[in-house]
Amino acid sequence: NYCFGHKSSSLLLCPYDPGTPYINHNSESPNAKIVWSDDPIYHNSSWLDEPVSYFDNVWQTGLAFEYIAISDIKPGDEITVDYGPEWEEVWTKHIQQWQSPKGAESYFSPQELNENPSLPIPTHDEDNTLIGENIDAWCHFSFGSVRKDKHVWRERDMMANEHLVQRIIDRTQLPDDQSYIYTLELVDETDGDESGLYIVKNVPRKALSFYQKNY
């Protein structure tokens, strides 16, 4: 996710070394710097004299960076480089103008929800951005052969396939063990191309799984 460019060129260089994203910025006391490699096997120095248009039909790697220590680096020290004043100016402006997206205060990651079943899942009225926009929720349930406007979850439904949750309508806390049951709107796509939305009540937390929604 790091690219290298120059203000006088439209060409971006995107390294694919796995360690590159972990080398952070430090303009005051960096302990490393980036230089062109002098290894002829990985670095084609003649490319540095070519115009940008030359690379329109280049589909291979031929340039290489090296990270050179400019001070002693001890085991456990973070490696940092100076990204340059242009980057620092833009980053500072970005931080000053940053505003949290809607729903950030109540956001849970899918990992948090899957690992901690005691977390109360926001209903659609409480947060209409979490389920559906940011996270996909799936529920084990069997509709059987009869489709009704409202269904009731049963223990045997844990063995059924999962269906996509369209909305979390309601959440009720159980007095005995402080857990929650939910009323959901599920998508049923078992009838070929036809799909319907059905209300399912009394869904326990264990019947739900959460996944990050694809971009």
Side-chain angles (χ1 to χ4, degrees):
N1 63 346
Y2 277 69
C3 291
F4 295 84
H6 191 278
K7 61 182 179 182
S8 300
S9 175
S10 59
L11 184 67
L12 283 178
L13 302 177
C14 300
Y16 55 84
D17 179 85
T20 301
Y22 301 103
I23 300 178
N24 290 318
H25 168 67
N26 187 334
S27 60
E28 297 180 357
S29 56
N31 55 20
K33 66 178 181 178
I34 302 171
V35 300
W36 292 115
S37 173
D38 58 5
D39 189 335
I41 296 178
Y42 299 103
H43 183 68
N44 188 346
S45 59
S46 64
W47 282 13
L48 299 178
D49 298 322
E50 298 291 349
V52 172
S53 58
Y54 171 83
F55 299 97
D56 289 347
N57 295 308
V58 174
W59 303 101
Q60 65 189 57
T61 57
L63 296 175
F65 288 133
E66 290 181 351
Y67 291 88
I68 305 297
I70 58 177
S71 64
D72 290 341
I73 301 176
K74 300 177 183 179
D77 286 351
E78 180 183 14
I79 299 176
T80 59
V81 299
D82 186 355
Y83 290 2
E86 293 91 352
W87 183 92
E88 189 165 29
E89 179 182 354
V90 172
W91 178 251
T92 301
K93 183 178 180 180
H94 167 73
I95 294 176
Q96 293 172 344
Q97 297 178 345
W98 169 258
Q99 293 183 349
S100 298
K102 181 181 179 182
E105 298 79 7
S106 58
Y107 177 79
F108 294 107
S109 70
Q111 183 178 1
E112 288 178 291
L113 292 173
N114 288 325
E115 292 181 351
N116 190 351
S118 64
L119 287 176
I121 307 169
T123 66
H124 183 79
D125 289 339
E126 292 171 337
D127 183 357
N128 61 5
T129 64
L130 181 63
I131 304 300
E133 289 192 21
N134 296 312
I135 293 175
D136 279 338
W138 293 78
C139 176
H140 287 282
F141 185 73
S142 174
F143 287 100
S145 59
V146 180
R147 298 297 186 271
K148 299 178 292 185
D149 291 339
K150 293 184 179 181
H151 295 259
V152 178
W153 194 91
R154 297 153 298 181
E155 187 64 31
R156 65 188 183 190
D157 289 320
M158 277 299 299
M159 304 299 296
N161 293 330
E162 290 183 310
H163 296 273
L164 183 65
V165 176
Q166 185 75 11
R167 288 189 304 154
I168 295 181
I169 299 174
D170 188 42
R171 178 185 67 247
T172 302
Q173 187 171 16
L174 300 178
D176 53 349
D177 57 2
Q178 302 300 307
S179 61
Y180 297 91
I181 57 174
Y182 297 87
T183 299
L184 311 176
E185 187 176 50
L186 295 186
V187 178
D188 176 25
E189 297 178 345
T190 59
D191 294 333
D193 294 333
E194 296 181 5
S195 62
L197 297 176
Y198 299 93
I199 305 299
V200 180
K201 303 179 67 175
N202 297 349
V203 177
R205 178 61 183 79
K206 66 180 181 180
L208 298 170
S209 300
F210 301 90
Y211 306 91
Q212 188 66 50
K213 195 173 185 67
N214 294 329
Y215 289 104

